[in-house]
Amino acid sequence: MNPYYLTLLEKRFPTKQSIVTEIINLEAILNLPKGTEHFVSDVHGEYNAFQHVLRNGSGNVKQKIQEIFEGRLTEESIQDFAILIYYPEEKLIAKKQQFTSQPELEQWYLDTIARMIELLQKTATKYSRSKVRKALSPDFMYITEELLYSNSNELDQKDYYNRIIENLIKLNQAEAFLTATAYTIQRLIVDHLHVIGDIFDRGPAPDKIMKTLLDYHSVDIQWGNHDILWLGGAAGSPLCIANLLRICARYNNLAIVEDAYGINLRHLATFADKTYQDNPAFSPKVNSSQEKIKEDERLLMTKIHQAVAIIQFKLEGQIIKRHPDFDMANRAILEKIWNKGSKIEIDGKHYSLQDTCFQTVDWTDPYKLTDDESEIMDKLVQSFIHATKLREHLDFMMARGSMFKRYNGNLLVHGCIPVTQEGKLESFELKGKSYAGPELLAFFEDNLRKSYAEPKKSTDLETDLLWYLWQGPKSPLFGKHAMKTFERYFINNEEVQVEIPNAYYKLRHDEAFCRHILEEFGLNPDNGKIINGHTPVKRGHKPVMANKKMIVIDGGFSKAYQSTTGIGGYTLLSNSYGLQLVAHQPFTSKWDSIENGTDIISVKRIIDSEVKRQTIAETDMGKELASRVVELKKYLQSK
């Protein structure tokens, strides 16, 4: 046994009895039911919908309530109780207003605390006492444990149990206790959360989502293409910054940059205001949930939108020229423009350009930034690198994140595994080296980690590869042959705007292909599944493919996609009984839930059900615990 490891064991387990106790504890834990995994994807800054799904555990909370109280409570009362668990503070305020006398309110407290404890008992049965204790509010730990492990129907304990609840009410602690217990139930309902990419994008509050995840008890993140723009920006990529600012301006979301993360855009705004004019193609898109934008704000946003778009196209050309290995010469777009900026040649065809804004383009050197543009980008890079709150959020995303994850036999990846039309792993060639499959994703992850850790020391290649992840033809996060941003702005021709997906998206319907991918990632194709985000499942299409080997859970958290998907998003649950896919109705508001009892669960679909309930021993964590037991038994023999 390693001497250093042996020293650690001696410090932690100084006696034989302490070793025996730990072995008994670990082997007992291995026989507990597997905890519930909760999968969400493509949240796109939609904080309120994300919060609701997180609080209700994709319907798990209500399901537990129904299991316990069906036949004892009406459906209306069950829903009312579920909303109390989701939003305890707000629901308690609304509830108090319903009672006309103090005795009525106190009786409601008595009944509700008793039900809350009963629900907590049901929720806690699959965990060790130690794990439950960690989930309890420190303010009520002793009281909760006494209620949780007492038997209210046992004659010797009944008065003891009831007196605790009565005193909570008399001492004005009923609301605080109910609130704390509701959050404990939320935490125990889901053991681990997987976020399969795209926390950031057009939605209004990715910063609030990141704050929620920072405080969440157990979570991992698979980076999405929109997340990479922010990680790349903080790692010092001017082009990632230009792209994310363009998207924020396009969707009237620059407040994320300025207000949420404190990044000053004054120099950009001043430059844009004096350089550009109104342009309908660049007017911000405002969705129905946003306040109507004032005319002066709309005009300035339109000008900023044009300014960062042109900077983006210039910087793209520079990167493409620097790195022929990227094989993106067809996307060096400005040099293809002629006739004083009114015509363009793409793939041998000529097109007229409309709504142009090429005021700062020097046609003798189209990719050169003006002095003002260079100064603006230099300041923005420094602002992104040194933005304290942004860094805190992205540090967490880096610590909990990865390009892909193997977890309990499944492969979690946001976008795709680039493949050829024949289904073979597609290689990315760079400086004489070739990367494909798991090695390709690991290469990009290693590069990102290095660039993010030391943004000031990153080379052009390391920084430019961050942008390649956003729109490179062999990027596993993009998954298309080209991004046609320029064409969508300036060419009124749908044919030239088409973005061709990687063959992965067609082949993932085929079971043999999915099994092949699982094997390439070292997973058992008989038991494993690929869980994807990134591509919204359109109305009428199925999220479960390839004989249940592929599950796509981007179903429309983002309001922009809901007209296409017809729903408000998919989530996935994996518990000891199997896999459930949950379809959600579009989220309205928290207050609609509180006041009207609305929820957003549409339907749960059983994908797989276990004949024998899964235990922790069958999970990745269980294998680690079993390995630890083996080591402890060896150590015990040596004592």
Side-chain angles (χ1 to χ4, degrees):
M1 191 176 288
N2 183 291
Y4 177 70
Y5 183 54
L6 188 60
T7 302
L8 291 177
L9 286 175
E10 287 171 348
K11 286 183 178 178
R12 187 170 177 193
F13 306 109
T15 66
K16 277 190 173 183
Q17 191 56 50
S18 62
I19 303 169
V20 169
T21 300
E22 182 68 1
I23 291 170
I24 291 171
N25 176 49
L26 292 178
E27 290 201 325
I29 288 171
L30 289 172
N31 289 279
L32 285 170
K34 169 189 175 294
T36 298
E37 297 171 58
H38 191 189
F39 301 78
V40 301
S41 177
D42 295 86
V43 187
H44 291 297
E46 296 291 348
Y47 169 74
N48 291 328
F50 172 73
Q51 267 282 311
H52 191 75
V53 166
L54 215 58
R55 286 168 180 260
N56 70 24
S58 282
N60 246 12
V61 170
K62 187 174 179 183
Q63 183 174 317
K64 285 281 192 295
I65 294 171
Q66 286 172 325
E67 288 171 4
I68 300 167
F69 297 106
E70 200 160 29
R72 294 161 56 189
L73 293 177
T74 64
E75 182 58 36
E76 183 180 351
S77 296
I78 286 173
Q79 184 63 30
D80 196 57
F81 189 34
I83 299 297
L84 175 64
I85 305 296
Y86 308 163
Y87 301 108
E89 296 99 336
E90 296 88 346
K91 185 63 177 177
L92 283 165
I93 291 170
K95 203 70 186 174
K96 282 197 300 184
Q97 296 172 355
Q98 296 178 13
F99 297 101
T100 56
S101 70
Q102 188 64 21
E104 279 184 315
L105 176 60
E106 290 182 359
Q107 184 59 51
W108 182 81
Y109 283 146
L110 278 168
D111 295 339
T112 305
I113 290 173
R115 287 172 189 153
M116 193 81 85
I117 292 299
E118 194 173 350
L119 177 59
L120 180 58
Q121 287 171 333
K122 173 75 173 177
T123 307
T125 53
K126 64 196 292 187
Y127 300 109
S128 65
R129 283 200 181 193
S130 173
K131 189 159 187 172
V132 172
R133 187 177 297 116
K134 289 174 185 175
L136 299 178
S137 165
D139 293 338
F140 296 101
M141 185 178 294
Y142 169 76
I143 291 170
T144 307
E145 286 193 319
E146 291 301 300
L147 293 172
L148 189 58
Y149 300 118
S150 298
N151 187 345
S152 62
N153 296 316
E154 186 68 39
L155 187 61
D156 291 342
Q157 293 187 336
K158 190 170 185 178
D159 289 343
Y160 172 76
Y161 181 95
N162 290 339
R163 183 53 58 92
I164 291 175
I165 298 178
E166 288 168 4
N167 275 324
L168 280 171
I169 297 168
K170 286 180 181 178
L171 296 171
N172 297 318
Q173 293 299 302
E175 290 181 36
F177 178 79
L178 286 169
T179 299
T181 308
Y183 284 122
T184 296
I185 290 166
Q186 286 183 29
R187 176 169 175 171
L188 293 175
I189 283 286
V190 170
D191 191 45
H192 186 78
L193 175 68
H194 305 283
V195 183
I196 307 182
D198 279 356
I199 293 166
F200 288 86
D201 187 21
R202 62 189 67 181
D207 58 307
K208 293 181 180 179
I209 294 172
M210 287 305 304
K211 175 63 171 65
T212 299
L213 296 178
L214 274 163
D215 297 332
Y216 202 75
H217 56 277
S218 184
V219 61
D220 62 62
I221 301 167
Q222 288 68 64
W223 302 316
N225 52 318
H226 287 279
D227 304 325
I228 287 296
L229 286 181
W230 290 80
L231 290 166
S237 166
L239 191 41
C240 285
I241 292 169
N243 270 279
L244 73 86
L245 288 176
R246 178 185 59 79
I247 292 168
C248 286
R250 182 174 177 81
Y251 295 102
N252 188 31
N253 270 336
L254 285 173
I256 296 169
V257 181
E258 293 184 287
D259 300 338
Y261 289 123
I263 294 170
N264 192 336
L265 299 180
R266 182 172 57 84
H267 289 89
L268 173 61
T270 302
F271 165 75
D273 192 37
K274 73 178 183 182
T275 307
Y276 292 91
Q277 291 77 45
D278 199 2
N279 187 331
F282 291 84
S283 190
K285 297 179 182 295
V286 181
N287 65 50
S288 58
S289 65
Q290 291 177 307
E291 292 183 15
K292 189 173 181 181
I293 190 170
K294 295 178 181 177
E295 176 56 24
D296 58 339
E297 293 174 351
R298 185 205 64 78
L299 181 57
L300 181 58
M301 194 87 70
T302 300
K303 293 178 177 182
I304 291 172
H305 190 179
Q306 293 171 83
V308 291
I310 296 303
I311 290 171
Q312 173 188 317
F313 299 137
K314 289 182 178 183
L315 292 175
E316 285 176 356
Q318 292 179 21
I319 284 184
I320 291 165
K321 298 293 185 185
R322 275 201 296 269
H323 304 297
D325 282 358
F326 286 6
D327 194 23
M328 295 179 68
N330 63 329
R331 300 313 302 157
I333 204 84
L334 295 182
E335 66 193 54
K336 305 179 190 304
I337 297 172
W338 52 283
N339 196 32
K340 298 180 181 180
S342 65
K343 302 282 185 181
I344 191 169
E345 181 179 341
I346 298 176
D347 297 330
K349 294 182 180 180
H350 291 177
Y351 301 92
S352 295
L353 298 177
Q354 61 183 21
D355 300 316
T356 57
C357 49
F358 301 137
Q359 291 93 313
T360 70
V361 178
D362 177 356
W363 296 114
T364 64
D365 190 2
Y367 302 121
K368 182 180 179 181
L369 298 183
T370 67
D371 291 343
D372 284 342
E373 289 171 334
S374 293
E375 183 182 358
I376 287 165
M377 292 313 300
D378 288 344
K379 288 180 178 178
L380 283 170
V381 167
Q382 291 306 309
S383 295
F384 270 82
I385 288 174
H386 297 292
T388 304
K389 184 178 176 183
L390 178 63
R391 197 77 189 184
E392 178 192 7
H393 288 179
L394 297 184
D395 281 352
F396 180 81
M397 183 178 277
M398 288 297 294
R400 298 298 180 91
S402 57
M403 286 291 295
F404 70 95
K405 193 170 188 69
R406 304 177 186 95
Y407 197 97
N408 288 342
N410 297 317
L411 176 62
L412 283 54
V413 60
H414 174 73
C416 72
I417 311 303
V419 294
T420 66
Q421 293 296 326
E422 295 76 31
K424 295 180 180 179
L425 296 177
E426 193 168 29
S427 294
F428 174 57
E429 309 283 340
L430 185 69
K431 293 192 175 298
K433 293 185 178 180
S434 180
Y435 307 90
E439 291 76 20
L440 175 65
L441 276 69
F443 164 74
F444 280 124
E445 179 168 337
D446 290 345
N447 181 79
L448 173 58
R449 291 194 183 283
K450 183 178 179 181
S451 299
Y452 184 85
E454 298 183 295
K456 294 179 182 177
K457 294 183 181 178
S458 296
T459 65
D460 277 345
L461 175 59
E462 289 166 347
T463 305
D464 294 347
L465 278 167
L466 304 180
W467 167 77
Y468 185 93
L469 270 174
W470 165 246
Q471 68 173 79
K474 294 179 183 176
S475 163
L477 298 184
F478 178 47
K480 296 179 182 178
H481 83 299
M483 187 177 288
K484 299 295 187 75
T485 305
F486 182 95
E487 288 86 338
R488 286 193 294 271
Y489 279 127
F490 300 121
I491 304 175
N492 185 22
N493 184 303
E494 290 185 1
E495 182 182 321
V496 79
Q497 297 172 5
V498 171
E499 298 173 347
I500 302 170
N502 185 269
Y504 172 91
Y505 292 104
K506 179 180 179 181
L507 293 169
R508 69 180 178 179
H509 293 266
D510 179 69
E511 181 182 358
F513 172 76
C514 292
R515 293 176 69 91
H516 169 62
I517 293 295
L518 288 165
E519 287 177 335
E520 288 287 350
F521 280 80
L523 295 168
N524 184 340
D526 292 333
N527 304 321
K529 302 182 189 302
I530 303 169
I531 303 173
N532 261 177
H534 189 51
T535 51
V537 180
K538 295 180 180 179
R539 194 190 307 266
H541 291 216
K542 295 179 179 180
V544 181
M545 313 167 192
N547 194 22
K548 303 179 182 179
K549 290 296 166 192
M550 171 69 66
I551 305 170
V552 182
I553 60 169
D554 179 5
F557 260 107
S558 176
K559 291 181 174 64
Y561 297 127
Q562 288 173 4
S563 60
T564 300
T565 63
I567 62 170
Y570 287 112
T571 56
L572 186 70
L573 295 169
S574 173
N575 57 30
S576 58
Y577 295 106
L579 275 175
Q580 292 181 322
L581 184 73
V582 185
H584 301 271
Q585 297 170 358
F587 182 72
T588 51
S589 73
K590 174 173 69 174
W591 294 109
D592 189 26
S593 296
I594 293 163
E595 293 172 7
N596 302 315
T598 58
D599 215 333
I600 63 172
I601 306 300
S602 297
V603 64
K604 279 189 179 183
R605 174 184 168 187
I606 305 297
I607 297 175
D608 280 334
S609 57
E610 297 292 331
V611 176
K612 175 181 171 292
R613 196 175 184 188
Q614 276 191 306
T615 63
I616 288 175
E618 299 166 85
T619 67
D620 293 345
M621 185 182 77
K623 289 167 186 160
E624 290 179 19
L625 294 180
S627 176
R628 202 180 306 169
V629 168
V630 170
E631 292 294 323
L632 285 169
K633 285 182 177 178
K634 287 180 183 177
Y635 179 52
L636 180 63
Q637 290 173 353
S638 71
K639 293 293 281 185

